[in-house]
């Protein structure tokens, strides 16, 4: 069956003005750090011994409750629980299933006895005696997770205490909570053989051993009041072998046929599902949550090809959870209208957890409103999800004002001279192959350099930058606060440069550097000299260890954001292409 023409025809006649029944707005996850990185500060305080475990837990609980309240106040119908973490949600899954490395088991056992968190953080950061778990990227995002270590003799045990506690907490506050867990297949596919294990060991062979543990966790959550539980399986958007797809079918046949479970929502994101889609569509689960943004928009044709999801819930991720740009509401409504004919019930969500974007554009008073209107961080994306759900439920007339404002915002970016620089385009067009070659051969250049510089055969130098000292940070803070003027700041920078050069001369280096004292961060410093970029003060995005990161959007592709580490300075958002 050729599904593309059918899906295209459905989109052309998408009944966006026809109300759906009881459309729910929901999310898969939300930023954890807090508006002023309260969680980061509390965790670092715990590591330094200034904050106790109970105080850290109270800070975390306050942030969770505040986030749920914000989501509810924004009109979200169903809030995620269990997505919050003191470090990493995959690490939390390892704790949930008892997959603690042998080198950390005693410390984790001690946590349970004395209420500390030392064992938990030891798995994440290591100790003098025991190295941490490996850290690597969460698919093609710049979030990093802690890789589970498994072996043929791994014994799984269920510990649903944290997941149950957070659900109970949300329900007690009057929220409609949906626990979110890493799915069993993705968990095993992300794992690696434990040290000392045959490198050819395949963690997925442990699936039948792991499934009863997941079944127990699901039963515990149902007993605690969960109506739905979300199982995230993003690994299924990658190419999978027939054996792996058979494991998916087996896993959800086993979990789906259990009587003592809540309704299951299997979620996948970051790309189209491909051959895994018919497997999940046929599984005995009550719902699927799919990404419909970017390349994952092909999931619409995939659903049409498998005959849709009759009798199932579809959670449609039509708001991009990975970039910082506003949604095209009219386009998303057209997609949702098409999906109404492919599932028993269609609900609205972001494409993935909003963990991957900053918290709130409104926290950036320094941004020019003319381009702040193009941006959507977590709070703005939540509002977009709620608006789309209302439009799907009540018809486009119910959100006419929002649609008009959105059209104006999109048009303002398209028409803005800030996003197109004819001079840059002309210079780029004038580049030829000859510009990639230097006129003098390397042998001539290197000989001239040796003569001019008179350096020894193996000259000594540094990479260029010296540490940003407390004095430099204080000077920048003083400048921002108005305690010193620009001249006073430049004087302090000059003194730091002089000290750095004197140190290098005393050390006997051949090639001296000025230490880059004036650069708060290399990427930020360069970006601030360029048009087409803007800086925010609170645009924190979690990558690992809850640090601060620069969000840099390439000028040539505004839909492909990337992150660069920046633990001390401002966030950058590129807005020109």
């Amino acid at each position: 069956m050729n599904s593309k023409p059918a899906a295209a025809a459905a989109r052309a006649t998408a009944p966006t003005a026809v109300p759906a029944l009881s459309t729910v707005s929901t999310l898969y996850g939300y930023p954890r750090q807090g508006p002023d990185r309260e969680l980061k500060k509390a965790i670092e305080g715990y590591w330094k011994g200034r904050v106790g475990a109970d105080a850290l837990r109270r800070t975390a609980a306050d942030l969770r409750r505040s986030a749920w309240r914000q989501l509810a106040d924004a009109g979200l119908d169903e809030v995620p629980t269990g997505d919050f973490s003191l470090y990493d949600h995959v690490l939390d899954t390892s704790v949930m299933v008892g997959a603690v490395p042998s080198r950390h088991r005693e410390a984790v056992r001690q946590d349970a006895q004395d209420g500390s968190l030392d064992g938990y953080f030891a798995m994440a950061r290591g100790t003098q005696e025991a190295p941490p778990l490996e850290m690597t990227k969460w698919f093609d995002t710049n979030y990093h997770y802690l890789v589970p270590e498994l072996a043929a003799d791994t014994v799984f045990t269920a510990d649903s205490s944290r997941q149950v506690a957070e659900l109970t907490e949300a329900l007690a506050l009057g929220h409609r909570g949906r626990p979110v867990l890493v799915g069993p297949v993705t968990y095993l596919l992300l794992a690696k053989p434990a040290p000392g294990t045959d490198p050819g060991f395949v963690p997925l062979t442990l699936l039948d051993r792991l499934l009863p543990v997941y079944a127990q966790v699901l039963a515990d959550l149902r007993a605690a009041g969960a109506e739905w539980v979300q199982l995230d399986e993003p690994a299924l958007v990658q190419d999978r072998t027939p054996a792996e797809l058979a494991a998916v079918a087996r896993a959800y046949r086993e979990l789906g046929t259990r009587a003592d479970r809540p309704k299951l929502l299997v979620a996948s994101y970051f790309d189209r599902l491909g051959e895994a889609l018919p497997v999940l569509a046929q599984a005995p689960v009550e719902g699927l949550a799919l990404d419909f943004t970017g390349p994952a928009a092909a999931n619409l044709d995939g659903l049409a090809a498998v005959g849709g999801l009759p009798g199932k819930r579809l959670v449609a991720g039509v708001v991009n959870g990975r970039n910082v740009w506003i949604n095209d509401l009219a386009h998303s409504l057209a997609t949702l209208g098409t999906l109404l004919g492919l599932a028993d019930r269609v609900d609205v969500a972001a494409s993935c957890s909003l963990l991957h974007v900053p918290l709130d554009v409104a926290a950036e008073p320094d941004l020019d409103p003319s381009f702040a209107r193009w941006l959507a961080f977590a709070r703005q994306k939540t509002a977009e999800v709620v608006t789309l759900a209302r439009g799907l439920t009540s018809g486009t007339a119910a959100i006419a004002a929002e649609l008009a404002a959105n059209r104006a915002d999109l048009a303002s970016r398209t028409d803005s001279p800030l996003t197109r620089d004819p001079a840059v385009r002309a210079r780029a067009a004038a580049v030829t192959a000859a510009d990639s070659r230097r006129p003098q051969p390397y042998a001539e250049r290197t000989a001239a350099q040796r003569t001019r510089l008179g350096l020894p055969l193996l000259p000594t130098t540094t990479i260029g930058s010296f540490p940003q000292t407390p004095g430099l940070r204080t000077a920048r803070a003083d400048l921002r606060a108005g305690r010193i003027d620009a001249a006073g700041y430049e004087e302090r920078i000059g003194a730091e440069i002089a000290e750095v050069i004197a140190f290098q001369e005393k050390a006997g280096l051949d090639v001296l550097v000025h230490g880059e004292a004036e650069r708060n961060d290399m990427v930020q410093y360069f970006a601030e000299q360029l048009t087409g970029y803007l800086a925010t003060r609170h645009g924190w995005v979690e990558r690992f260890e809850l640090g601060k990161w620069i969000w840099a959007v390439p000028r040539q592709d505004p839909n492909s954001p990337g992150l660069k580490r920046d633990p001390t300075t401002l966030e950058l958002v590129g807005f020109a292409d």
Side-chain angles (χ1 to χ4, degrees):
M1 173 180 177
N2 187 349
S3 64
K4 292 186 178 181
R11 278 193 292 268
T13 58
T16 56
V18 177
L21 296 177
S22 303
T23 298
V24 168
S25 57
T26 189
L27 295 175
Y28 309 159
Y30 203 64
R32 304 163 180 164
Q33 297 188 59
D36 194 31
R37 297 177 299 157
E38 291 87 350
L39 183 62
K40 174 183 186 293
K41 295 171 184 176
I43 289 174
E44 291 177 346
Y46 179 82
W47 293 342
K48 295 175 182 178
R50 296 197 301 260
V51 174
D54 289 341
L56 173 54
R57 290 189 180 98
R58 284 194 297 272
T59 297
D62 288 344
L63 290 171
R64 282 196 304 273
R65 292 167 186 160
S66 175
W68 290 331
R69 184 170 57 251
Q70 290 168 13
L71 295 177
D73 289 347
L76 203 74
D77 299 305
E78 187 180 55
V79 302
T81 70
D83 64 303
F84 191 91
S85 179
L86 293 179
Y87 202 96
D88 165 51
H89 57 275
V90 181
L91 174 62
D92 294 345
T93 306
S94 293
V95 173
M96 181 187 81
V97 301
V100 175
S102 58
R103 63 186 180 276
H104 294 300
R105 284 177 193 156
E106 183 54 40
V108 171
R109 196 176 299 119
Q110 189 65 34
D111 281 357
Q113 293 176 1
D114 61 19
S116 73
L117 293 163
D118 294 348
Y120 175 83
F121 285 123
M123 288 189 286
R125 306 178 71 230
T127 65
Q128 291 290 344
E129 298 77 25
L133 293 166
E134 177 189 337
M135 178 177 283
T136 194
K137 292 179 70 169
W138 177 249
F139 299 93
D140 62 346
T141 73
N142 279 278
Y143 177 81
H144 283 58
Y145 73 94
L146 291 159
V147 181
E149 294 178 358
L150 304 176
D153 60 354
T154 295
V155 176
F156 297 112
T157 55
D159 178 4
S160 60
S161 56
R162 188 185 72 84
Q163 290 74 22
V164 167
E166 291 188 16
L167 171 64
T168 303
E169 186 179 14
L171 295 176
L173 293 170
H175 301 298
R176 183 179 177 183
R178 185 188 69 256
V180 178
L181 311 176
V182 176
V185 178
T186 288
Y187 178 76
L188 293 176
L189 290 173
L190 294 180
K192 72 171 190 176
T197 302
D198 180 353
F201 169 70
V202 178
L204 190 59
T205 59
L206 301 177
L207 180 63
D208 291 334
R209 198 181 304 173
L210 180 62
L211 290 176
V213 173
Y214 265 82
Q216 182 60 57
V217 171
L218 292 172
D220 293 345
L221 288 168
R222 180 187 178 185
E227 179 187 3
W228 288 85
V229 169
Q230 177 175 321
L231 294 170
D232 283 2
E233 296 285 8
L236 302 187
V237 303
Q238 299 170 321
D239 292 335
R240 290 299 165 197
T241 66
E244 290 167 339
L245 294 173
V248 175
R250 188 167 77 254
Y252 285 99
R253 183 170 58 249
E254 167 69 20
L255 296 178
T257 54
R258 307 280 289 209
D260 56 342
R261 65 168 179 84
K263 296 176 184 177
L264 297 182
L265 177 70
V266 182
S268 194
Y269 36 80
F270 299 147
D271 210 330
R272 61 187 292 271
L273 264 177
E275 293 180 344
L277 180 54
V279 176
L280 292 178
Q282 296 165 17
V285 299
E286 286 74 20
L288 296 185
L290 303 179
D291 186 348
F292 291 95
T293 65
N299 277 325
L300 194 154
D301 292 315
L303 279 177
V306 299
L309 301 175
K312 294 185 186 291
R313 175 188 186 187
L314 172 64
V315 177
V318 292
V319 172
N320 195 313
R322 296 182 56 181
N323 69 24
V324 294
W325 306 111
I326 58 173
N327 183 261
D328 184 335
L329 296 181
H331 176 78
S332 293
L333 276 174
T335 298
L336 291 166
T338 303
L339 292 171
L340 286 175
L342 294 173
D344 184 61
R345 163 183 165 190
V346 176
D347 294 329
V348 185
S351 63
C352 60
S353 171
L354 296 182
L355 170 71
H356 305 292
V357 295
L359 181 59
D360 189 7
V361 176
E364 307 298 338
D366 298 335
L367 295 186
D368 186 329
S370 66
F371 47 74
R373 65 193 293 197
W374 307 336
L375 301 176
F377 294 173
R379 288 191 181 177
Q380 288 71 39
K381 290 179 184 295
T382 301
E384 290 173 339
V385 167
V386 171
T387 296
L388 289 167
R390 186 156 49 92
L392 198 60
T393 297
S394 303
T396 53
I399 59 168
E402 289 91 337
L403 288 172
N406 180 249
R407 283 194 299 270
D409 291 341
L410 292 169
S412 75
R413 182 180 174 202
T414 300
D415 299 337
S416 174
L418 294 173
T419 62
R420 300 289 188 277
D421 189 333
V424 171
R425 290 177 173 238
R427 289 175 60 192
V431 172
T432 68
D435 293 311
S436 65
R437 296 188 297 271
R438 297 186 182 186
Q440 295 85 19
Y442 172 75
E444 294 181 15
R445 298 199 310 273
T446 190
Q449 290 168 357
R450 283 197 299 269
T451 301
R452 174 71 179 271
L453 299 177
L455 294 173
L457 180 62
L458 297 174
T460 56
T461 188
T462 72
I463 62 171
S465 58
F466 272 60
Q468 293 285 307
T469 64
L472 286 174
R473 294 191 178 94
T474 299
R476 278 193 255 286
D478 288 345
L479 179 64
R480 287 194 299 269
R483 291 186 289 268
I484 59 174
D485 58 14
Y489 176 71
E490 293 295 337
E491 183 178 348
R492 294 193 193 182
I493 294 296
E496 181 72 19
I497 291 172
E499 185 175 335
V500 165
I501 290 176
F503 169 78
Q504 294 171 86
E505 290 175 333
K506 184 177 179 180
L509 294 179
D510 298 305
V511 179
L512 308 185
V513 301
H514 81 297
E516 302 178 2
E518 78 285 3
R519 295 182 182 174
N520 40 22
D521 170 86
M522 182 181 71
V523 176
Q524 179 189 352
Y525 181 81
F526 289 150
E528 288 177 339
Q529 317 306 313
L530 300 171
T531 59
Y533 287 84
L534 61 89
T536 67
R537 295 193 177 276
H538 302 285
W540 318 103
V541 176
E542 183 176 346
R543 188 184 185 198
F544 67 89
E545 292 195 7
L546 301 174
K548 189 172 185 180
W549 299 82
I550 288 175
W551 188 294
V553 181
R555 293 172 60 91
Q556 71 275 15
D557 184 359
N559 295 314
S560 299
L563 294 174
K564 303 295 182 182
R565 187 177 183 192
D566 176 18
T568 60
T569 59
L570 307 181
E571 183 202 25
L572 302 176
V573 177
F575 59 81
D577 59 358

